[in-house]
Amino acid sequence: MKKTGWVVLAVVGVVLAAFLIFFFKDSLFPGAKTTAVKKQTEAVSEQSEPPRDEIVRKKIPVSPREEPASSPRAVKEITRDILQERVEGFFSYLDRQEYIQAYGLPEGTYQYFLDSTADLASRPPVVSGEMDDLSLLRSNMAHFFRVVGRNDIRLVLDVLSHEREGIEDDMAILFEWGMREAQKEEGAIEADMNTLYEYSVFFLNTVGGKAYLLRRESRIRILLTYYAILILDRAHEQHLNRHGVDISPHLTLLMNDIKRYKGLDRKARYLEQLNAVARRHQR
């Protein structure tokens, strides 16, 4: 099985992410596992694991016992990278799920995700001249299928179908982490801001990318569009918007969608962020 599927979550949520990026079933995924299987998995988890929120989102305690505040060990605990801890905790949680174990990933989901990011970063979609070349249009329409492959898509859909409960929190963490790592000289992911920018333009400004979003359920489409806009905004601030994409119409459409849609836990936060982006682009 190719090591490529996770980048759909990374880039978009990491990536994207998507990084990235990051989780539903409903009518989008008719091939997802049955409710009975899901309940069986949840029953096993309840018997053998602490609650998911404690795994992914717990703070790292710093015990004062036998450690003065100035000791090297205490300083190390205080300065520990909580964001990295949460990301690794998320993938550790996935590794313990039966539906993930069935895929037999020898190095676990975290390493699989890093390898996937590198694979898709090396084969980004072409986002200019799409309408002048029919073969390029066809290539963009099937971009993820070509690069990711059938088996890896199945894995992504399985995660989406089982982890819908915490999708918004998970995507927020993965996006923040992915953006940070993409801007480091030697970040954890092999994708830089230029790569993330290309994928954001793909979703927002190409027929292939828009068609991909329109095939998704409303919640997924809104979240992918939201993070693509945040990436485009960051790229614009860093003078990386080499395709000259106008962010304004995308902002207007997305804000209207978010206001109408009732299935978002972080609706107020999304609108606050988008309003801030709009103000920056009105200067």
Side-chain angles (χ1 to χ4, degrees):
M1 180 169 59
K2 296 180 182 178
K3 296 182 176 181
T4 50
W6 287 103
V7 78
V8 177
L9 305 176
V11 170
V12 184
V14 168
V15 193
L16 277 113
F19 215 215
L20 132 214
I21 134 170
F22 99 118
F23 300 135
F24 302 91
K25 182 166 64 178
D26 293 345
S27 60
L28 298 182
F29 312 123
K33 296 186 184 297
T34 64
T35 303
V37 173
K38 183 177 179 182
K39 288 183 178 178
Q40 181 182 8
T41 302
E42 291 173 346
V44 171
S45 299
E46 289 174 0
Q47 294 172 7
S48 59
E49 303 175 3
R52 181 172 184 273
D53 286 347
E54 292 182 17
I55 295 171
V56 179
R57 303 181 179 89
K58 66 181 180 181
K59 291 186 178 180
I60 310 303
V62 179
S63 174
R65 184 178 57 187
E66 300 179 358
E67 290 290 344
S70 59
S71 73
R73 179 178 174 183
V75 171
K76 181 179 180 180
E77 288 296 313
I78 291 170
T79 60
R80 192 169 184 176
D81 187 341
I82 303 300
L83 185 57
Q84 181 70 32
E85 182 74 18
R86 288 180 175 180
V87 169
E88 291 180 7
F90 169 70
F91 288 109
S92 178
Y93 159 79
L94 289 181
D95 289 340
R96 289 192 287 273
Q97 306 311 301
E98 287 186 344
Y99 74 92
I100 290 294
Q101 293 174 0
Y103 286 91
L105 304 177
E107 298 179 288
T109 53
Y110 180 63
Q111 187 58 49
Y112 186 89
F113 173 79
L114 297 181
D115 293 340
S116 300
T117 304
D119 288 340
L120 271 183
S122 69
R123 298 177 64 185
V126 178
V127 300
S128 60
E130 182 187 56
M131 299 308 296
D132 298 327
D133 186 338
L134 186 58
S135 64
L136 178 58
L137 176 60
R138 287 198 299 265
S139 177
N140 275 352
M141 293 287 286
H143 176 73
F144 289 111
F145 185 83
R146 287 188 305 102
V147 178
V148 173
R150 187 184 303 275
N151 289 332
D152 289 1
I153 287 177
R154 231 181 252 126
L155 172 59
V156 172
L157 297 186
D158 239 357
V159 174
L160 290 170
S161 70
H162 284 81
E163 307 306 327
R164 60 179 301 165
E165 184 72 21
I167 175 65
E168 292 185 58
D169 291 339
D170 295 333
M171 288 186 75
I173 291 170
L174 288 168
F175 174 79
E176 184 180 350
W177 174 79
M179 290 292 286
R180 184 188 71 179
E181 296 303 310
Q183 294 179 88
K184 290 181 178 179
E185 285 191 14
E186 296 184 3
I189 61 173
E190 292 188 32
D192 57 17
M193 279 300 299
N194 287 310
T195 303
L196 300 188
Y197 168 75
E198 292 294 323
Y199 273 96
S200 71
V201 174
F202 171 71
F203 284 122
L204 297 174
N205 224 46
T206 70
V207 173
K210 290 177 180 179
Y212 178 85
L213 290 179
L214 288 173
R215 295 196 298 269
R216 309 278 69 81
E217 182 261 350
S218 294
R219 195 183 189 199
I220 284 287
R221 175 178 54 78
I222 287 172
L223 290 172
L224 289 175
T225 304
Y226 171 74
Y227 286 110
I229 285 177
L230 293 191
I231 291 171
L232 179 57
D233 174 57
R234 185 73 60 86
H236 184 81
E237 291 289 302
Q238 297 179 7
H239 306 289
L240 298 176
N241 187 7
R242 58 185 172 278
H243 298 299
V245 178
D246 183 3
I247 202 171
S248 300
H250 303 295
L251 278 170
T252 301
L253 289 172
L254 180 60
M255 292 173 75
N256 288 335
D257 278 351
I258 291 176
K259 289 173 183 176
R260 288 193 298 263
Y261 187 66
K262 298 180 180 179
L264 295 170
D265 296 330
R266 292 171 168 242
K267 176 183 286 194
R269 175 61 174 164
Y270 301 146
L271 290 173
E272 178 186 356
Q273 287 284 88
L274 293 174
N275 276 313
V277 172
R279 287 193 295 272
R280 283 196 292 274
H281 288 265
Q282 288 172 355
R283 295 172 189 168

